[in-house]
Amino acid sequence: MKSQALIAAGVCALVLTGCTNNPYTGEQQAGKSAIYGGIGAVTGAAIGAATSSSDDRGKGALIGAAVGGAAGGGYGFYVDKQEQRLRQELTGTGVQVVRNGDSIQLVMPGNITFASGSADISSSFYPTLNSLVKVFKEFDQNGINIVGHTDSTGSNELNMRLSRERASAVAAYLSGQGVPGGRISSAGVGPSQPIASNDTESGRAQNRRVEINLRQL
């Protein structure tokens, strides 16, 4: 019974350490690492208890739970920590941080990144890009895919060129600040992937954007 209580306590502690506060609701929620880590902890605890002597079974279960939890967290744990740092660095910048499984997407509205019709980065946006450089150097285990988007105003040829040039400008800046070029790719898709209606000014403003997608290398 004592061993079972120790196993339960160890697993609960590991799962709770992976919980974070939802930045929108303020409620506590389990991060991806907590979910995977909890599964690993249960498995590790069982193995640890089974391979220990009867006198040491409780201790073995706790050690097994710790090892299994850390291994189970894996890339999910890494992304949890990276997401926290990005939200910390990008608060108040206008850049949206979107978590989707083990991928993170950064949505940078066109009105804060580039002047209208231009591929020259706005001087006011450099501090934000410098914050990204700092996080990308700290967390260097994922690729950085930069995609430029436009609204449907103007010719498709113009929009495709502008979207490519804007994505390339961001990629060049990151690389120039020391982010390894081998991690970076860029592309422009013009108006082909709208996230809002192009029939309204507010919708067109949302569609003019640059996205950075972070995925495991």
Side-chain angles (χ1 to χ4, degrees):
M1 293 296 292
K2 184 177 180 181
S3 295
Q4 292 175 342
L6 285 169
I7 292 170
V11 171
C12 288
L14 283 165
V15 172
L16 286 174
T17 56
C19 291
T20 58
N21 285 330
N22 186 305
Y24 303 108
T25 66
E27 296 176 350
Q28 194 175 62
Q29 62 185 23
K32 198 171 186 68
S33 62
I35 297 170
Y36 291 151
I39 294 171
V42 171
T43 304
I47 295 172
T51 56
S52 302
S53 66
S54 57
D55 293 337
D56 244 0
R57 193 155 291 158
K59 182 179 178 182
L62 282 176
I63 294 172
V67 173
Y75 189 67
F77 176 81
Y78 175 91
V79 178
D80 283 349
K81 296 302 181 184
Q82 186 179 36
E83 179 188 8
Q84 290 173 10
R85 286 287 288 116
L86 285 167
R87 292 192 185 281
Q88 181 183 56
E89 289 289 335
L90 297 175
T91 298
T93 65
V95 176
Q96 184 182 5
V97 181
V98 180
R99 175 74 178 271
N100 184 16
D102 278 348
S103 299
I104 296 176
Q105 183 181 72
L106 307 175
V107 182
M108 304 183 293
N111 66 316
I112 64 172
T113 52
F114 298 92
S116 179
S118 171
D120 294 329
I121 298 173
S122 297
S123 58
S124 60
F125 195 62
Y126 285 124
T128 300
L129 288 179
N130 290 336
S131 294
L132 289 181
V133 168
K134 181 164 58 176
V135 178
F136 291 163
K137 288 181 177 179
E138 182 180 346
F139 293 84
D140 59 359
Q141 299 302 307
N142 41 28
I144 303 167
N145 176 235
I146 305 167
V147 183
H149 301 263
T150 67
D151 61 28
S152 60
T153 304
S155 70
N156 188 66
E157 180 181 3
L158 172 64
N159 285 324
M160 289 297 295
R161 178 178 58 79
L162 183 61
S163 64
R164 284 195 300 268
E165 291 178 352
R166 286 180 168 180
S168 295
V170 173
Y173 185 81
L174 297 180
S175 179
Q177 296 302 306
V179 179
R183 294 177 59 196
I184 303 171
S185 63
S186 66
V189 296
S192 66
Q193 297 178 17
I195 56 175
S197 172
N198 277 305
D199 294 332
T200 65
E201 176 51 41
S202 62
R204 290 190 292 274
Q206 292 181 64
N207 292 333
R208 296 189 295 269
R209 67 198 191 279
V210 172
E211 295 175 349
I212 297 181
N213 301 295
L214 305 176
R215 297 187 177 91
Q216 186 174 11
L217 285 170

